[in-house]
Amino acid sequence: MGWLRSSKKDRNGRWAPGEVSTLLEDAPWHPSYAGEERARPDAAYSPGSGLPLRFWRGHSRWWWFSRGTATLLFLFILLLGWLAITAPLSKSLEPIAPPQITLLASDGTPIARNGAVVDEPVRIADLPPHVIEPFLAIEDRRFYSHWGIDPRGVARAAWAQVSGGPMQGGSTITQQLAKFTFLTPERSMTRKAREALIAFWLEAWLTKDEILERYLSNAYFGDNHYGLRAASLHYFYRQPEKLRPEQAAMLAGLLQAPSRLAPTRNPDLAAQRMRLVRNAMVAAGYLTQAEADAMPVPRTDVREMNNLPTGTYFADWALPQARQSSEVGYVRQTLTTTLDSRLQNIARDVVRRAPLGGAEVALVAMRPDGEVVAMIGGKDYEASPFNRATQAQRQVGSTFKTFVYLAALRDGWEPEDTIANTEIVDGAYRPRNASGRYSETITLADAFAQSSNVAAVRLQQEVGTDAVIAMARDLGITSALDRGDPSLALGTSTMSLLELTSAYAGIAANAYPVEPHAFARPEQSWWEWLWDGPDSMASEDHEDIQELLRGAINRGTGRAAMLQSANFGKTGTTQDNRDALFVGFAGDLVVGVWVGNDDNSPLSGVSGGGVPARIWRNFMAAALGERTRPAPNPTASPDPGGPVQPFDVEGLENIPLTEDGQTTLSVDQNGATVSTQVEGVPFEVRFDEEGLSVEPVED
C-alpha cells in the first residue's frame, strides 16, 4: 500500500506532524526507510523534486544510459544545424588565399602582380592512384574508413607527446580541411573541439572523394602556391594528372612545412622528407620496399619567371578595388587599370631629378573624371611602401583658399570686388602676409594671385565658415573641417593629396564630386545622369574661378609652374614650411604635388611656389608635349611667426627670360634686376629709382 498524505502543510511546505495516515505502517518497505527515516514521511520523497525515491531508484542503468545518449545526440544534431547556418559548406569550395591578380597599365604593360598562385581544382577521378596514395600514406592512412576523426591517430599523437617520442599529427585530412577553410590557426582546446565538430559535419554532407578534392585543391605547397595543380605546374611544370610517382611523393611531403621544405629553397630537406613519404607508403601497403628503394629523388623544373613587383604605390591603392570587383574563384586574373605607363615614367623621372634633399614627395595625376593615370607615393617604394599620396593626412596650406573663393563666388562676389588687405591687429588670431606687404584694399583676383592670408581670412568671415565647408563638401572633401577655427581659410585642416586633387578635378570638369578610381568605369546612361548625375557650378562662377587659378600661375605665387598652354593652379605652404604643395590642371590632366618630411619637421628653403611648382610644370610640360625651360630655384620665405598661418612665397625672384635659364629677372620693392652672361662673364643690370646700373658678378 502506498503512502497516504494529509492535505495540510506547514508554513515551510512540509507535511504537518500527525497528518500521516496510519496506513504508513503498511507502506512498502525500503532499506532507506529504516530507523529514523521510517518515522519521517518526507524521507520517502526526493528533496526538492516532489517525486518518490522509488521513481529515481526504480530504473536500470541501461535506462539512464539510453536516455542520456539520446539527449547528447539531440544536442549534437542541434550543433550540426548551427554549423550549417554559421559555416556554409560552399566556403570549402573557395580558395583559402586570394588568387593572383596581375595589373596592367592602360596600354597593356604589366605593372604589378599580387596574391597567391591558385589554379583550377583537381578531381580525384582524373588523378592516377600513385598521385593520391602518397598524400594518404603520410597524412591520413585511414582516411576512407574513419568518420572525420581517427581515434587511433589521436591516441598515437597523445602517446608520442607523453612518451617524449617524435611528434606526430593526430589530425585527419577532414580535420585539416576544416581547419584551414573555416577556422583560425590558434592553438586551443576550443578550436580543436570546433575542428572535430566541423569534420563530422563535412563527413555527413560530402563524400570522401569530395573532401579529398577540396583538401588537395586548397592545401599550401610553399612558394606562394596553393593547391596541387598550381604546385605541380610550379615545381615540375606538369599537370597533376601526369605527375610521376616520385614527383607526387615529394609534393605530399611538402604539406608538413611548405615554406621550409620547398625544393626551390631547401632541396636537401625536401628530399629527406620525400624518403619519409616513401617509407609511409611501404607501411601502408602502397609500395614494396624494393619499389620504394628504386624511387629516385625528382629534379624540379621551375619555368615561371615572375619579374614583376608584387607591390607599387599605385598597385597597393588599386588592389582593394580589384578584389572588391572580382569574382571569388581559383582563376588567376589579369586586370587593366587606368594607369598610363608613359605618364608614370614621366612622373618617376621628374621626381628623381627634383632637388628634394632629404624630403619626401608625392604626386597624383588624374583625368577630370577621376581616372588616376600616374601616382608617386614616395621617393623609394622599397625603402618605404607608405603611400604619401593616399595615406598621409597633412595640412594643405593655401590650396584650401580655392574653396573659400569658390564660396564667395557662389555668394555673389566677383573677381573685381575688393576686400581689406590691412594687418589684422585685433583678436587672438592674427595671421600675416608672408611678404609683409599690406594695402587698404585689394581685389579678389589680386588677393588670390598673391595668396594674401589676411584677405582670405576676412573673406571667410564675410561668406561664413559654413558656406566654405559646404563648398568643400560639395567638391568631395570628406576630411574633418573645423567650423570654429578661422585658420581654416589658410588650410590648417588635414587631408590626403588624392582627396585634394580629386576636388580640383571637380573644378576642372565643373562636375563634382569626383571619385578617384583605378579601373575604367562605364559611362552613365541618360537616365542615370538625370537621376544621380554630378553637380556643377554656374558657368559664370566656373569662369571666374578659372580666372583666379590662371592668375595665380601667370602673375602670382605659382609662376614657376607656368606653361605655354592654358594652365590653372594654386600653391600651398604651411607654417614653418612643413608642407609644400601645388595643385592645378591643364589640358586633360589634373595634378597634385606634395613635398614634406615624414616627421613633420620644417623644410629647408622649400615652399609651394618652389619645388612642388617646378615638379608640376616639368611633369605637365612633358605630358602635354611642350618644350620645357628651366624653372627658377626655390627661395625661402620669412617665417611670419605668431599662431598657425600657412603662407605662400611672394617674392618675384629668378624668373627665367630665356630657354637656357641663363637670363633671369628678379623684382623687389625698390626695382628690378636682370642677371645674364656675356661670353661667359656673369653680370647684372639693375633698374631702380637711382636709374640704370650694370655691375659684374663676383664668384
Side-chain angles (χ1 to χ4, degrees):
M1 179 178 295
W3 290 92
L4 295 179
R5 290 183 179 271
S6 169
S7 61
K8 296 181 180 180
K9 294 184 180 181
D10 62 12
R11 68 183 61 184
N12 295 318
R14 299 176 61 87
W15 295 103
E19 296 297 330
V20 181
S21 171
T22 57
L23 292 177
L24 177 65
E25 299 295 330
D26 300 326
W29 183 86
H30 189 276
S32 66
Y33 305 162
E36 293 181 357
E37 295 297 331
R38 182 172 178 82
R40 294 171 54 200
D42 291 341
Y45 280 76
S46 174
S49 69
L51 297 174
L53 287 172
R54 61 181 178 175
F55 172 82
W56 299 102
R57 295 171 175 170
H59 297 292
S60 65
R61 289 185 178 88
W62 172 251
W63 185 90
W64 286 111
F65 176 77
S66 61
R67 279 153 179 77
T69 303
T71 301
L72 292 176
L73 182 61
F74 175 72
L75 293 175
F76 182 74
I77 293 173
L78 287 180
L79 285 175
L80 289 180
W82 172 76
L83 272 177
I85 298 173
T86 61
L89 192 66
S90 61
K91 190 175 180 181
S92 64
L93 283 172
E94 300 173 1
I96 63 173
Q100 188 180 86
I101 290 180
T102 300
L103 298 181
L104 307 178
S106 57
D107 62 355
T109 303
I111 57 175
R113 182 173 290 135
N114 187 273
V117 181
V118 180
D119 217 312
E120 290 293 328
V122 296
R123 295 183 68 252
I124 297 301
D126 297 334
L127 296 176
H130 68 257
V131 173
I132 302 172
E133 291 166 354
F135 292 94
L136 298 178
I138 196 66
E139 294 294 328
D140 191 356
R141 201 171 299 174
R142 283 172 290 278
F143 171 72
Y144 279 98
S145 60
H146 61 64
W147 289 2
I149 304 295
D150 185 4
R152 293 168 61 182
V154 174
R156 183 177 65 251
W159 173 252
Q161 186 173 5
V162 171
S163 63
M167 293 297 295
Q168 300 186 33
S171 295
T172 64
I173 283 178
T174 312
Q175 286 177 275
Q176 293 180 54
L177 177 63
K179 178 173 63 177
F180 61 60
T181 303
F182 296 96
L183 302 175
T184 62
E186 65 171 329
R187 294 179 177 270
S188 66
M189 293 301 296
T190 302
R191 201 269 294 161
K192 293 295 291 185
R194 294 185 65 200
E195 178 184 299
L197 191 61
I198 294 175
F200 282 124
W201 177 62
L202 291 172
E203 292 276 351
W205 286 92
L206 302 174
T207 66
K208 287 289 187 179
D209 284 354
E210 288 174 332
I211 292 173
L212 187 57
E213 286 173 352
R214 299 184 186 197
Y215 171 77
L216 293 177
S217 299
N218 279 296
Y220 182 50
F221 287 85
D223 278 4
N224 202 33
H225 285 68
Y226 289 78
L228 180 59
R229 190 175 303 280
S232 60
L233 287 169
H234 172 61
Y235 291 116
F236 302 112
Y237 204 66
R238 284 174 177 253
Q239 293 289 350
E241 293 82 5
K242 297 182 179 181
L243 284 171
R244 296 178 57 81
E246 62 270 19
Q247 295 170 335
M250 177 167 281
L251 290 175
L254 302 182
L255 297 180
Q256 183 191 55
S259 298
R260 183 171 61 90
L261 297 174
T264 51
R265 300 183 182 183
N266 297 301
D268 294 338
L269 289 179
Q272 182 179 347
R273 177 67 178 171
M274 178 245 185
R275 296 186 185 99
L276 293 178
V277 175
R278 291 187 319 189
N279 296 336
M281 295 179 70
V282 173
Y286 296 131
L287 292 177
T288 65
Q289 190 61 54
E291 291 173 331
D293 294 340
M295 184 180 290
V297 175
R299 296 180 59 182
T300 58
D301 183 7
V302 180
R303 303 188 186 185
E304 291 182 322
M305 297 298 294
N306 186 359
N307 54 6
L308 284 182
T310 57
T312 64
Y313 291 117
F314 177 83
D316 290 350
W317 173 70
L319 276 169
Q321 302 177 47
R323 296 289 184 200
Q324 188 176 10
S325 60
S326 63
E327 297 181 358
V328 176
Y330 287 85
V331 180
R332 284 174 277 181
Q333 293 182 294
T334 299
L335 303 177
T336 301
T337 69
T338 59
L339 191 77
D340 188 308
S341 58
R342 182 183 72 89
L343 297 180
Q344 181 68 20
N345 289 333
I346 292 173
R348 187 181 298 113
D349 183 61
V350 167
V351 166
R352 180 182 56 82
R353 293 187 289 106
L356 296 169
E360 278 292 349
V361 64
L363 182 149
V364 174
M366 65 176 65
R367 305 296 182 192
D369 63 356
E371 286 191 354
V372 176
V373 294
M375 179 180 289
I376 301 292
K379 291 191 296 186
D380 187 350
Y381 180 87
E382 294 296 329
S384 173
F386 178 72
N387 194 334
R388 296 156 187 84
T390 63
Q391 295 174 284
Q393 298 288 316
R394 303 292 293 251
Q395 291 186 354
V396 295
S398 293
T399 58
F400 191 87
K401 291 176 182 175
T402 301
F403 308 125
V404 177
Y405 282 77
L406 272 171
L409 295 175
R410 177 187 280 182
D411 195 44
W413 291 66
E414 295 181 356
E416 295 76 20
D417 291 339
T418 60
I419 193 167
N421 191 38
T422 57
E423 285 190 74
I424 297 177
V425 295
D426 297 324
Y429 181 62
R430 301 180 182 183
R432 297 173 56 196
N433 290 338
S435 65
R437 295 194 297 269
Y438 301 92
S439 58
E440 287 298 319
T441 61
I442 191 172
T443 65
L444 295 193
D446 289 340
F448 190 83
Q450 298 174 19
S451 199
S452 170
N453 288 334
V454 296
V457 170
R458 287 191 172 102
L459 187 61
Q460 178 175 268
Q461 292 174 343
E462 291 289 336
V463 300
T465 305
D466 288 344
V468 173
I469 293 177
M471 188 71 249
R473 297 294 186 220
D474 288 347
L475 286 166
I477 299 297
T478 59
S479 297
L481 301 174
D482 191 353
R483 279 185 167 81
D485 188 356
S487 70
L488 174 70
L490 307 185
T492 55
S493 297
T494 61
M495 64 189 70
S496 71
L497 179 65
L498 181 67
E499 183 178 6
L500 178 65
T501 307
S502 300
Y504 272 72
I507 298 173
N510 195 18
Y512 50 81
V514 170
E515 182 181 357
H517 49 276
F519 300 92
R521 295 179 175 178
E523 293 186 5
Q524 283 186 317
S525 65
W526 179 85
W527 172 253
E528 290 174 331
W529 178 85
L530 184 64
W531 180 257
D532 192 27
D535 293 328
S536 60
M537 62 189 77
S539 58
E540 296 84 359
D541 294 344
H542 188 241
E543 291 174 359
D544 288 343
I545 194 61
Q546 284 187 315
E547 177 185 339
L548 297 181
L549 292 168
R550 186 186 299 113
I553 291 183
N554 294 344
R555 59 186 182 85
T557 58
R559 290 181 306 279
M562 192 182 303
L563 298 171
Q564 298 174 13
S565 56
N567 41 213
F568 312 86
K570 186 70 184 74
T571 57
T573 312
T574 61
Q575 186 182 23
D576 298 330
N577 294 53
R578 298 178 189 276
D579 302 273
L581 302 97
F582 191 92
V583 186
F585 49 91
D588 62 345
L589 289 173
V590 185
V591 179
V593 179
W594 168 88
V595 175
N597 293 318
D598 286 340
D599 62 0
N600 203 33
S601 60
L603 297 165
S604 178
V606 178
S607 59
V611 174
R614 293 170 62 196
I615 292 175
W616 187 91
R617 183 189 63 83
N618 292 340
F619 174 83
M620 279 293 198
L624 301 177
E626 295 185 3
R627 292 184 60 189
T628 61
R629 62 181 181 181
N633 293 322
T635 57
S637 295
D639 185 349
V644 176
Q645 43 194 280
F647 60 91
D648 287 328
V649 176
E650 293 279 348
L652 304 177
E653 300 175 356
N654 298 327
I655 302 173
L657 299 179
T658 59
E659 289 290 334
D660 58 9
Q662 293 184 357
T663 302
T664 61
L665 170 66
S666 297
V667 180
D668 55 29
Q669 296 181 7
N670 300 319
T673 302
V674 175
S675 300
T676 186
Q677 294 183 12
V678 176
E679 297 181 354
V681 178
F683 67 95
E684 292 181 346
V685 179
R686 175 72 178 172
F687 302 89
D688 54 26
E689 58 187 7
E690 297 180 3
L692 173 66
S693 62
V694 179
E695 298 179 358
V697 178
E698 298 181 358
D699 293 336

